[in-house]
Amino acid sequence: MERRCWSVEAGIAVLLLLAGCSAPAPSAGVADPQATAALAPGGGVRPRLKPADLVGFRSLPAYSEPAWVSQDFVAKGRLPPLRDRLPKQPLVVAAGAMPDGIGVHGDALRQVTGGRPEGWNTSAGQSQGWGGVDIGTLECLTRTGPLFLVRSDALQPLPNLARRWTWSPDGHQLTMDLVEGARWSDGHPFTSDDVMFFWTDNVLDPQVSPLGGAGPDSFGAGTTLEALGPYTIRWTFRQAFPEDVLYQMAYGKFCPGPAHVLRPQHPRHNPRNSYADYRNAFPAARVNFPVMGAWVATEYRPDDIIIFRRNPYYWKVDAAGQQLPYFDELQYRLLGWNDRDIQVIAGTSDLANVEVPGNYVEVLRQAAKPGAPFRIAFGPRGAAYAVLMNLSGNGWGEPDARGQQVRRLNRTLAFRQAVSLAMDRQALATTLVKGPFVLPYAGGILPDTPFYDAAATVQWGHDAARARALLDDAGIIDSDGSGMRNFPGGGPDIEIVLTASPDTATDRSLAEGVQIFAREIGLRIILRFVGGTQRDAAGASGQFDWLLSRNNTTELITVVQGSDALAPMGPYTHAFHRAGPGGRLDLLPYERDMVAAVAAFQDSRDPAVRRAAMARYQRLSTANANSIGLVRFPGALIVNRRIANVPPATPIFMFNWAEDAIMRERLFVPRARQGGAELRPRTLPGCFDCRS
Ligand code: BQZ
């Protein structure tokens, strides 16, 4: 799958060249990562690896850890020897895929997030503050972030907590072997009990909604899961060979939490607790919460910082047997999203996804300065904004009378088409940043995916006059002379609430732009700005008329991962059309056809059939203005130049965010450049529940 990064962005390349920051000169000791990857013509990365070139499982003759761990902990009997902390066959991160080769232990990876941790119980939906915080602590059955490096003919999720899997001859059962001997960061064994607790008491429990939105239908309607032993699980599917389900078992959807800590708080096992008690039982202040990830939160200062220290039981090593991660410490300063870019520019942070177009020119200008502490690489246009109209007509989100009238409009084809025609996407793009970064977005799957079909994509363009005519013909008129259109049947002036996040300039500017262009066709839009998790909650519970949404999930850019979110495949899977209180989905005819197209895609293993199914989906989605696409743009990863092993031109978002795609456990700082960044040197996580 050739990823088109730069050719289209010739303009950007020109700008980069103008800014003279195509590839800042590498500093001593750090190989120029650009030089170590086969670049596709026109820049970007030519995926040339197979999954086995990235990770594998085997035992090695010898293992090693940072010397201070052996001296201060193992030698003093405070920790078992490394070999007893590792699985029989640990996950080995292959050297061949390490741009700068085998690394060295030490130092701190410094990051910033604009989010705030709610707590550690992601199984019950708590966010850890985004920005890659949870990606650093969670591990999932499979892994997909690094797949941007994998050849399309070898594309499949990487093994992770599930180290291998086999399909039954009829394809209705998938047996998975878990990593035998892996342990949580408190030393407790990881087994199928953790997987089954996550499945039974979280994914399947209607009172729990795990972070990432996994639900009973996320793995195919009617799917069951059982444990065959402490290290073997078996899935049973109605459909034969639903191979894409392996993508669903990666980050966001199947990252089990520690059952030995969570179960005692779950109402099914502790009747004294309510579901709210269960969700909130592990606030951010309760540090040392057991994880399977590379780092454990050991210190939390609200609105200031979360300090993480290396997980002494981390079950991954490099090809030389060094226990990963290389970094002994991970720091997350709790600031604003804009600070994330600024801190990397200033050299006081190491990594950021530059995703606010308004910052691009300044970041490029800074990157071009001689001695700039960071390097920059733009990826494909994986970010896109759209207006999602709530399409439920039977009560999802319990709308009031006005809200119900808005739903009726949203479910009217002419109304959606008119709103789409009213949007001047080029003007919206230019308000975000001048230059060729931001392009109009038609809605549907993104042009940078291999399943994109331009001929099947209906571009609505900008035509306010035609939009007004469509509304007039549909009887959506100004019936009281107020100058604004009224709800049909002589109702009051139409008022529609657009829910958006105040977190970035992009969200604010696009929301205001939508309001202006809607007014031009006589529609009054009221803006409601609600922050990160609140906005996510409004979205998940259907309490919105219209939602301004950035594609934070992978289905529009990969299709294979999260395809269940492309259309309302189940009563509770879709972002803007879920079942009402009765549990029934009131699909519109074109939605039923979209569901059929996605099902045809999921059910087939034939590339031609899958491409045709996606073309049908794309035509239905864009012709019916299923979502009102606005703009799409590339993001850029900026990395401090002291950091080694970052693959060149890593997309900030594709199969997962860059924080996963770059495999942070294998990032390192060459010995000669280490020093002084750690806040809690030579310390390890403490016990979680010292009281018990
Ligand atoms: C990346 C990401 C890692 C969530 C979040 C945030 C939440 C959404 C989305 C992105 C942030 C960063 O995105 O913007 O660059 O670091 O965290 O998780 O937007 O509000 O709910 O889906 O991932």
Side-chain angles (χ1 to χ4, degrees), residues 629-655:
L630 299 176
V631 293
R632 60 191 180 89
F633 48 88
L637 185 65
I638 51 177
V639 185
N640 188 290
R641 282 197 280 154
R642 73 196 188 105
I643 308 289
N645 267 354
V646 177
T650 301
I652 67 163
F653 187 61
M654 188 175 279
F655 290 92

Side-chain angles (χ1 to χ4, degrees), residues 130-132 135 251 337 340 353 355 532 535-536 550 552 657 659:
W130 303 110
I135 295 174
Y251 173 85
W337 288 111
R340 198 166 64 156
N353 301 337
E355 56 194 6
R535 195 212 50 212
D536 299 340
R550 181 185 74 178
N552 288 326
W657 291 99
E659 290 93 339

Side-chain angles (χ1 to χ4, degrees), residues 555-591:
E555 69 278 5
L556 298 175
I557 184 151
T558 71
V559 180
V560 288
Q561 180 162 338
S563 56
D564 67 315
L566 285 169
M569 303 306 287
Y572 307 106
T573 59
H574 198 247
F576 52 101
H577 196 173
R578 295 187 189 184
R584 194 179 59 79
L585 254 182
D586 52 347
L587 294 180
L588 293 163
Y590 83 90
E591 288 184 293

Side-chain angles (χ1 to χ4, degrees), residues 415 417-423 463-468 471-472 476 483-485 516-524:
F415 177 78
Q417 291 172 334
V419 173
S420 191
L421 283 162
M423 298 299 132
D463 185 339
R466 191 168 152 219
R468 291 189 203 96
L471 293 177
D472 293 347
I476 305 168
M484 300 303 275
R485 293 177 191 272
I516 291 164
F517 291 123
R519 190 183 309 126
E520 284 180 3
I521 63 168
L523 298 175
R524 178 173 298 124

Side-chain angles (χ1 to χ4, degrees), residues 394-643:
N394 65 359
W396 175 46
E398 288 141 24
D400 59 15
R402 179 205 62 78
Q404 189 56 29
Q405 287 184 301
V406 173
R407 305 289 179 92
R408 244 178 258 120
L409 291 175
N410 292 349
R411 290 167 64 84
T412 308
L413 175 59
F415 177 78
R416 295 192 308 275
Q417 291 172 334
V419 173
S420 191
L421 283 162
M423 298 299 132
D424 181 343
R425 295 169 177 82
Q426 200 46 60
L428 289 172
T430 315
T431 58
L432 297 179
V433 62
K434 304 255 173 312
F437 295 98
V438 184
L439 294 179
Y441 167 47
I445 59 177
L446 286 160
D448 286 80
T449 88
F451 295 100
Y452 179 76
D453 182 333
T457 305
V458 176
Q459 309 275 355
W460 284 99
H462 178 222
D463 185 339
R466 191 168 152 219
R468 291 189 203 96
L470 273 173
L471 293 177
D472 293 347
D473 297 349
I476 305 168
I477 56 171
D478 172 12
S479 53
D480 61 4
S482 67
M484 300 303 275
R485 293 177 191 272
N486 295 71
F487 285 114
D493 279 359
I494 293 173
E495 284 194 348
I496 297 169
V497 177
L498 173 63
T499 301
S501 161
D503 291 351
T504 75
T506 315
D507 297 81
R508 292 192 299 275
S509 161
L510 290 174
E512 284 147 14
V514 168
Q515 184 184 43
I516 291 164
F517 291 123
R519 190 183 309 126
E520 284 180 3
I521 63 168
L523 298 175
R524 178 173 298 124
I525 306 299
I526 294 152
L527 301 183
R528 178 173 73 134
F529 288 105
V530 278
T533 44
Q534 255 191 301
R535 195 212 50 212
D536 299 340
S541 61
Q543 283 156 7
F544 63 93
D545 294 346
W546 292 2
L547 195 62
L548 179 65
S549 169
R550 181 185 74 178
N551 61 321
N552 288 326
T553 46
T554 57
E555 69 278 5
L556 298 175
I557 184 151
T558 71
V559 180
V560 288
Q561 180 162 338
S563 56
D564 67 315
L566 285 169
M569 303 306 287
Y572 307 106
T573 59
H574 198 247
F576 52 101
H577 196 173
R578 295 187 189 184
R584 194 179 59 79
L585 254 182
D586 52 347
L587 294 180
L588 293 163
Y590 83 90
E591 288 184 293
R592 264 195 291 281
D593 298 341
M594 282 201 318
V595 167
V598 174
F601 174 87
Q602 292 173 332
D603 292 355
S604 173
R605 301 162 85 190
D606 175 332
V609 171
R610 283 159 70 87
R611 256 199 303 283
M614 255 322 108
R616 274 201 312 284
Y617 168 82
Q618 185 71 348
R619 173 161 296 285
L620 287 161
S621 170
T622 52
N624 289 282
N626 182 51
S627 69
I628 311 300
L630 299 176
V631 293
R632 60 191 180 89
F633 48 88
L637 185 65
I638 51 177
V639 185
N640 188 290
R641 282 197 280 154
R642 73 196 188 105
I643 308 289

